[in-house]
Amino acid sequence: MASEARPGAPAARPQGRPPFLDVDFDKSPFTLAWEITRSCALACVHCRAEAIPQRDPRELTTDEAFRVLDQVVELGKPILVVTGGDPMMRRDVFQILEGAVERGLKVGFSPSATQLVTRAAIERVRDTGVDMVHISLDGSGPRVHDAFRGVDGAFQRTTEIIHDVVDVGLPLQIGTTVSRRNIDDLPATFDLVTRLGATVWNVFFLVPTGRAQLDAMLTPDEHERALTWLAEISEGAPFRVRTTAAQHYRRVLIQRMRAKAAAGGAQSFELTGAGYAFREGKAPAEKGVNDGKGFCFISHVGDVFPSGFLQVCAGNVRETPLAEIYRNSGIFRSLRDSSLLKGKCGRCDFKDVCGGSRARAWAVTGDYLAEEPCCVYVPGQTP
């Protein structure tokens, strides 16, 4: 079971966060991802972190990690995702997870599918009190998945871990990164995710950063076809479908809802998902998480970025409080101001709920305020 709370830490989980539309992104992110280490035994071809075999001696220490948790609480208790590299490479990983839960944080955990993730380790993760475990699965079989991961046998190990996660009673999120390598395998991967008993399928759309190469990224038309397909299958899927680095998925969903509402003579509708909400008609509202806007990332050495894919450093928690960086740094403030968006994103009627991937704009153009390079929508011309 989880250890006793450290002195000064709350003994019980607090009340939930306020409703999504009530979260002030100028003060607090909705989600914060923390790369507690960059070390990992895998060599994934699309790795954002460009993970390394051994732990970096500059990593935050255990004491510093607990101070980071305190700063996350001060920031407003966003959802915390503990990731890497492979967070299982840190011996104090269970202490960090317990410390986060003891402070009342909602915690997701994202280990790499290696031999470190034993059945006993998964049970120990469960006993810390985390809310969900994320496991990456990039194909429907070894041919595709093992090529992504750079290690033979990765597919078999991944499915073994997934079965253990479900068996011990932890909610499971399966993450799939989509690129030119596996776009044709998506339907078969969907079937496998269904059979494996996932609670959430989080589909990542490749951003050419880290080891990920520009020529592996989908074209705008391929993005649109994939997002349209995801919207279609989400209506009957036995799990929630989410996307990462594909904020225009929200636009696709809204367009589908508008068409259905119009066909039924409805004047209003609401649409909510992970990190976005849209209401049309009575009391209209729209809001969406994006890099630096409701989202924040902390690296293994304490550097703070708008996201793991948008590696423009805004400060370091060893020198400046996390809340000060998120709320007041020029990078974060500009990313939260949709009036600064350029190109068609700046003119788009979906910019407050979408805004395009700021990370992809930066990776492709060098300007994180440039228009999303992989969106086909033309404001004023497309329904």
Side-chain angles (χ1 to χ4, degrees):
M1 300 297 291
S3 65
E4 293 184 358
R6 293 171 66 250
R13 304 295 289 271
Q15 305 252 335
R17 286 173 60 78
F20 177 76
L21 287 170
D22 293 337
V23 178
D24 184 350
F25 288 167
D26 285 333
K27 295 181 179 178
S28 176
F30 185 71
T31 302
L32 185 147
W34 180 14
E35 168 196 84
I36 63 173
T37 184
R38 190 160 282 185
S39 57
C40 182
L42 301 181
C44 305
V45 296
H46 60 296
C47 182
R48 165 208 60 78
E50 296 185 275
I52 55 180
Q54 304 296 325
R55 289 181 57 186
D56 188 331
R58 301 172 301 157
E59 278 179 8
L60 298 171
T61 66
T62 302
D63 286 342
E64 287 177 318
F66 283 122
R67 288 197 288 274
V68 167
L69 292 176
D70 292 335
Q71 291 189 42
V72 174
V73 171
E74 292 166 2
L75 184 58
K77 294 187 177 179
I79 296 168
L80 176 66
V81 179
V82 177
T83 183
D86 180 11
M88 291 295 293
M89 295 287 278
R90 283 191 65 136
R91 293 184 178 180
D92 58 357
V93 60
F94 301 111
Q95 293 174 264
I96 293 172
L97 293 175
E98 289 172 350
V101 172
E102 288 164 357
R103 285 162 173 77
L105 296 170
K106 185 173 183 179
V107 183
F109 182 58
S110 181
S112 297
T114 69
Q115 297 302 318
L116 295 175
V117 190
T118 63
R119 172 65 177 244
I122 294 169
E123 291 175 343
R124 192 170 176 188
V125 168
R126 177 199 61 197
D127 292 345
T128 66
V130 304
D131 295 274
M132 183 171 285
V133 170
H134 173 105
I135 302 295
S136 292
L137 179 69
D138 294 314
S140 62
R143 180 184 63 82
V144 176
H145 180 83
D146 289 5
F148 253 83
R149 297 289 149 180
V151 175
D152 290 339
F155 177 81
Q156 180 178 346
R157 185 73 195 110
T158 296
T159 52
E160 291 170 351
I161 291 169
I162 285 172
H163 286 303
D164 282 341
V165 169
V166 173
D167 193 48
V168 304
L170 275 165
L172 168 69
Q173 176 172 287
I174 290 178
T176 300
T177 297
V178 184
S179 75
R180 306 301 296 277
R181 291 171 172 265
N182 66 343
I183 185 171
D184 293 334
D185 191 50
L186 273 183
T189 303
F190 166 76
D191 291 339
L192 178 58
V193 172
T194 300
R195 295 195 302 271
L196 290 172
T199 303
V200 178
W201 189 26
N202 192 2
V203 185
F204 293 71
F205 283 74
L206 184 139
V207 174
T209 187
R211 293 199 190 107
Q213 299 299 306
L214 181 63
D215 61 4
M217 186 175 72
L218 303 185
T219 67
D221 285 339
E222 287 171 332
H223 271 84
E224 192 74 4
R225 289 197 295 271
L227 294 174
T228 300
W229 176 78
L230 284 173
E232 291 170 353
I233 62 99
S234 70
E235 296 177 358
F239 43 74
R240 298 190 297 280
V241 177
R242 299 177 181 171
T243 61
T244 294
Q247 287 82 351
H248 39 320
Y249 179 57
R250 305 162 192 171
R251 185 258 305 162
V252 171
L253 292 174
I254 292 167
Q255 289 176 309
R256 289 175 63 85
M257 289 291 290
R258 281 179 173 167
K260 289 183 179 181
Q267 300 298 312
S268 63
F269 65 86
E270 294 186 13
L271 182 67
T272 60
Y276 67 91
F278 183 87
R279 184 188 304 134
E280 186 158 87
K282 186 178 180 180
E286 54 188 299
K287 189 173 191 175
V289 168
N290 207 322
D291 305 294
K293 177 186 174 186
F295 195 94
C296 184
F297 179 90
I298 304 174
S299 81
H300 64 298
V301 296
D303 287 335
V304 179
F305 302 95
S307 76
F309 298 105
L310 180 45
Q311 293 286 294
V312 180
C313 184
N316 188 289
V317 295
R318 282 171 162 151
E319 302 164 358
T320 309
L322 177 60
E324 173 70 19
I325 297 171
Y326 177 83
R327 294 169 184 168
N328 297 318
S329 73
I331 296 169
F332 278 86
R333 289 173 68 90
S334 63
L335 286 165
R336 293 195 293 268
D337 185 351
S338 62
S339 71
L340 298 178
L341 294 177
K342 301 175 183 177
K344 65 181 183 180
C345 281
R347 303 188 304 272
C348 186
D349 43 321
F350 294 102
K351 67 181 180 180
D352 288 322
V353 71
C354 171
S357 170
R358 299 298 93 219
R360 186 176 293 107
W362 178 73
V364 173
T365 72
D367 181 355
Y368 56 73
L369 295 174
E371 68 181 41
E372 160 68 68
C374 290
C375 178
V376 301
Y377 182 70
V378 179
Q381 295 184 22
T382 309

